Amino acid sequence: MKNKWIRILYLVLIVLQLTGCGFTNEKVEWPHKNELIFGTTLSTKSLDPANGYCGWFLVRYGVGETLFRLDDHMEVEMWLADSYEQITPLKWKIKIKEGIFFQNGKKLTPKSVKDALERVIALNSRAKATLKINTIEAGEDYIIIQTLEENPTLINELCDPFAAIIDVESEDIASSPIGTGPFRVEKFNQNGASYFRKNENYWDGEVNLDLIKVIPISDSDTLAMALQSGEIDVAQGLSYGMIHLLKKDSNYVVKSMNTSRAIVMYLNEENQHLSNAHVRKAINMLIDKEKYASSILKDEAVPAIGAFPSYVTDQALALESSIYDKEQAIELLKAEGYGDSNQDGILDKEGENLSFKLVTYSARAELSDIAQAIQNDLKQVGIEVLVEINENIMDVLSSGDFDLCLYSNITSATGDEFAYLNQTMRTDAISNYGHYSNEQVDNLLSQLTVEFDIKKRKELSRAIQQIVLKEDGYHFIAHMKMSFVMKNNVINLVPHPTDYYQFTAKTDIR
């Protein structure tokens, strides 16, 4: 929506939705005594925690809860669980809290916890791979988990939203899952407004809000217009320039949190040029992370070194990665035989132009801006970059139809580094979209898989990252702050480092 009038028309359609004049037959009473309207550039096709990363939205909207959760320092704390102990290297006992009920009135029991976990293991490949659960036994007030192999990060992985405990006997889990959280699903619409109503019998205290309305608005400029016109109360996904501007306006409050969300560039090593480590290094050396963080991201991010920021882990402090050096990048390319033999301004090698397709998506407003900056910076040395914005970014990554790809994801989702490293850097891993492969990295990951000692886990994680960074297998550009921009009467809505805790019983609007 680059045209101003298209944005205005889109905003009018949003207003029609908000005032009940939209084009659907929604039967949701409006207004309510205490409602909050939330606009976001992020959307989901389902609320089923077993469906990919859809569980993140289930937890964000206060519908689902897990046995354990992470505090603001990324340390594990109890949530639906009361305690846990490791009985043997393969056996864990988890006691379930008493007095918790699902939103349909059913009591939360060890059997219902067992059923929910067994369902997600059967349907979600990521859950199966990270939990490594062999069997689950339900006792009187506890469950016993037997793992297939030693799993030092089991409790951390049970914080992941795919492990949200839902009533597996409910009829439509994709659209109306039944959880234990402060809000129940009233109406879910993957393409329009969704409604989440107060859980009157919430186990952990009185719920302040009567209703939350969530509206997906993919264009960040339109999202800003909706906030400034008063049509929404909270916005998530505004451009960093707009956040910087609204910080100066007393009508709004900006709540920000440092996270492990990284802007990472995948380099597809199936491309004949990118299979060359020196070419990858040259490209990485042409990316000025310091400039991007200050000018494009308005200091709402910090330049990245490795996969994890120093404020989440000390990993970054002992790592070295390619730094911006235009002249050295040119020398590296020349040494590999690249030059402008055709005098057309584009580097080539034996008639093969150095040209790349860079793919990204618009749901994260900053990615398009950084893509354009990379395009301009590489053009300065004669490398052609064709930028493509594709909203089906996961399809693009899975198909490998890209040379370079800018992506944004949380690297420390459960408070431990292993899951991200194992899913992205192991040969043939599920999220190794650039086809990076190193036998030494694979061996170190295998050691990390079964290592319980925290100090040794940190050392292994650091060693893995250093090898990958030396080979320029990835390029970590920046670690982001997450921000909610809200009217100044919204309270108790605070971002979290994980990016998947959002609405709570305490969230309110005055």
Side-chain angles (χ1 to χ4, degrees):
M1 297 182 197
K2 301 301 181 187
N3 185 285
K4 177 180 73 174
W5 296 107
I6 294 177
R7 290 196 182 104
I8 292 173
L9 176 60
Y10 191 53
L11 182 59
V12 169
L13 293 175
I14 292 171
V15 173
L16 289 174
Q17 279 195 64
L18 293 168
T19 56
C21 302
F23 305 109
T24 66
N25 294 319
E26 296 175 349
K27 296 199 179 200
V28 179
E29 294 180 15
W30 197 267
H32 293 267
K33 179 182 177 183
N34 203 26
E35 70 261 2
L36 182 143
I37 306 173
F38 181 78
T40 175
T41 55
L42 304 177
S43 61
T44 180
K45 60 186 176 181
S46 167
L47 292 175
D48 184 348
N51 188 342
Y53 285 86
C54 294
W56 287 49
F57 293 85
L58 187 75
V59 174
R60 280 173 179 157
Y61 299 153
V63 178
E65 298 172 322
T66 49
L67 292 173
F68 306 94
R69 59 167 287 148
L70 299 165
D71 65 17
D72 289 344
H73 303 288
M74 300 295 285
E75 298 292 334
V76 173
E77 62 183 13
M78 305 300 153
W79 206 359
L80 299 180
D82 195 45
S83 63
Y84 75 92
E85 62 176 313
Q86 186 176 12
I87 301 172
T88 71
L90 301 182
K91 186 179 290 187
W92 303 72
K93 181 178 181 180
I94 302 172
K95 186 177 179 182
I96 310 302
K97 282 181 180 174
E98 290 288 337
I100 299 178
F101 293 85
F102 288 109
Q103 291 144 358
N104 57 7
K106 289 185 180 179
K107 184 178 180 181
L108 179 74
T109 65
K111 174 66 165 54
S112 57
V113 172
K114 173 181 183 292
D115 292 343
L117 293 178
E118 287 180 340
R119 178 180 180 274
V120 76
I121 292 166
L123 298 177
N124 188 300
S125 59
R126 189 165 54 90
K128 182 178 180 179
T130 57
L131 295 177
K132 302 173 186 175
I133 291 177
N134 184 23
T135 61
I136 304 175
E137 173 190 344
E140 182 179 355
D141 61 353
Y142 61 86
I143 60 170
I144 297 288
I145 292 178
Q146 185 88 21
T147 58
L148 292 163
E149 58 187 69
E150 292 185 51
N151 187 1
T153 64
L154 175 66
I155 301 302
N156 289 82
E157 299 305 331
L158 285 171
C159 296
D160 191 298
F162 63 50
I165 306 303
I166 60 170
D167 179 7
V168 301
E169 296 178 351
S170 57
E171 293 183 0
D172 186 0
I173 292 177
S175 297
S176 301
I178 304 296
T180 59
F183 298 96
R184 59 180 176 82
V185 182
E186 174 129 325
K187 181 178 179 61
F188 170 70
N189 185 345
Q190 69 179 83
N191 298 314
S194 296
Y195 301 83
F196 303 91
R197 189 178 292 280
K198 173 180 182 176
N199 177 5
E200 298 285 355
N201 299 306
Y202 183 49
W203 65 274
D204 196 22
E206 178 67 22
V207 181
N208 289 327
L209 290 172
D210 293 320
L211 191 74
I212 297 170
K213 184 174 185 177
V214 176
I215 303 177
I217 304 174
S218 60
D219 181 74
S220 63
D221 290 339
T222 306
L223 179 65
M225 290 171 63
L227 180 66
Q228 291 175 301
S229 67
E231 304 303 333
I232 62 176
D233 301 305
V234 184
Q236 179 190 26
L238 293 177
S239 68
Y240 287 98
M242 180 57 69
I243 293 172
H244 184 71
L245 180 66
L246 292 178
K247 277 185 174 180
K248 303 174 184 178
D249 191 329
S250 61
N251 292 310
Y252 304 100
V253 173
V254 178
K255 295 286 187 180
S256 299
M257 172 67 72
N258 291 325
T259 74
S260 69
R261 178 168 292 283
I263 295 177
V264 58
M265 187 168 73
Y266 295 108
L267 301 95
N268 192 343
E269 295 189 28
E270 292 195 340
N271 177 288
Q272 61 175 325
H273 303 291
L274 297 176
S275 63
N276 185 324
H278 287 168
V279 174
R280 296 196 302 271
K281 180 175 286 293
I283 290 172
N284 288 344
M285 294 179 79
L286 291 167
I287 295 174
D288 191 343
K289 295 186 282 191
E290 299 282 346
K291 181 181 74 175
Y292 294 177
S294 61
S295 62
I296 298 176
L297 303 175
K298 305 297 183 184
D299 292 320
E300 293 291 323
V302 296
I305 300 175
F308 312 102
S310 58
Y311 45 76
V312 171
T313 171
D314 62 358
Q315 298 288 338
L317 301 179
L319 296 173
E320 295 180 4
S321 65
S322 295
I323 59 174
Y324 179 74
D325 191 330
K326 181 179 176 180
E327 299 307 317
Q328 180 63 26
I330 293 172
E331 292 303 314
L332 277 173
L333 292 170
K334 285 181 178 179
E336 294 301 315
Y338 293 93
D340 188 4
S341 61
N342 299 325
Q343 302 300 310
D344 60 357
I346 301 177
L347 296 179
D348 63 73
K349 183 177 183 181
E350 299 177 354
E352 182 70 25
N353 284 344
L354 199 54
S355 176
F356 302 107
K357 180 169 76 170
L358 189 160
V359 181
T360 191
Y361 54 105
S362 64
R364 300 279 177 183
E366 64 276 4
L367 295 181
S368 298
D369 294 335
I370 290 177
Q372 185 176 6
I374 291 174
Q375 181 185 50
N376 292 335
D377 288 344
L378 268 62
K379 184 179 180 180
Q380 299 302 312
V381 300
I383 300 175
E384 182 180 54
V385 175
L386 306 174
V387 175
E388 178 182 300
I389 307 298
N390 194 315
E391 299 315 315
N392 297 315
I393 192 66
M394 294 310 301
D395 292 340
V396 173
L397 286 170
S398 298
S399 68
D401 186 20
F402 70 95
D403 300 316
L404 307 171
C405 180
L406 280 179
Y407 191 67
S408 172
N409 63 349
I410 291 289
T411 58
S412 183
T414 59
D416 186 90
E417 294 88 2
F418 171 72
Y420 180 79
L421 298 177
N422 193 53
Q423 290 169 19
T424 58
M425 297 176 184
R426 187 187 289 275
T427 302
D428 298 327
I430 187 171
S431 298
N432 186 350
Y433 301 114
H435 305 284
Y436 173 80
S437 180
N438 182 290
E439 184 177 356
Q440 186 181 0
V441 167
D442 290 345
N443 290 334
L444 290 172
L445 282 167
S446 295
Q447 294 178 45
L448 186 57
T449 301
V450 296
E451 180 58 66
F452 280 84
D453 184 87
I454 297 298
K455 183 179 179 181
K456 291 181 180 177
R457 291 185 65 80
K458 296 289 185 184
E459 292 172 354
L460 287 167
S461 173
R462 189 178 298 114
I464 291 164
Q465 290 178 79
Q466 194 61 77
I467 293 169
V468 174
L469 293 173
K470 185 177 181 180
E471 296 186 329
D472 288 271
Y474 292 76
H475 192 66
F476 296 95
I477 296 174
H479 290 292
M480 317 299 295
K481 290 182 180 179
M482 187 177 73
S483 298
F484 295 143
V485 183
M486 61 196 80
K487 294 177 182 177
N488 57 20
N489 61 340
V490 177
I491 61 173
N492 297 327
L493 179 56
V494 181
H496 189 275
T498 62
D499 199 12
Y500 51 71
Y501 300 129
Q502 194 162 292
F503 295 114
T504 71
K506 296 180 180 178
T507 305
D508 203 356
I509 185 166
R510 292 167 176 166

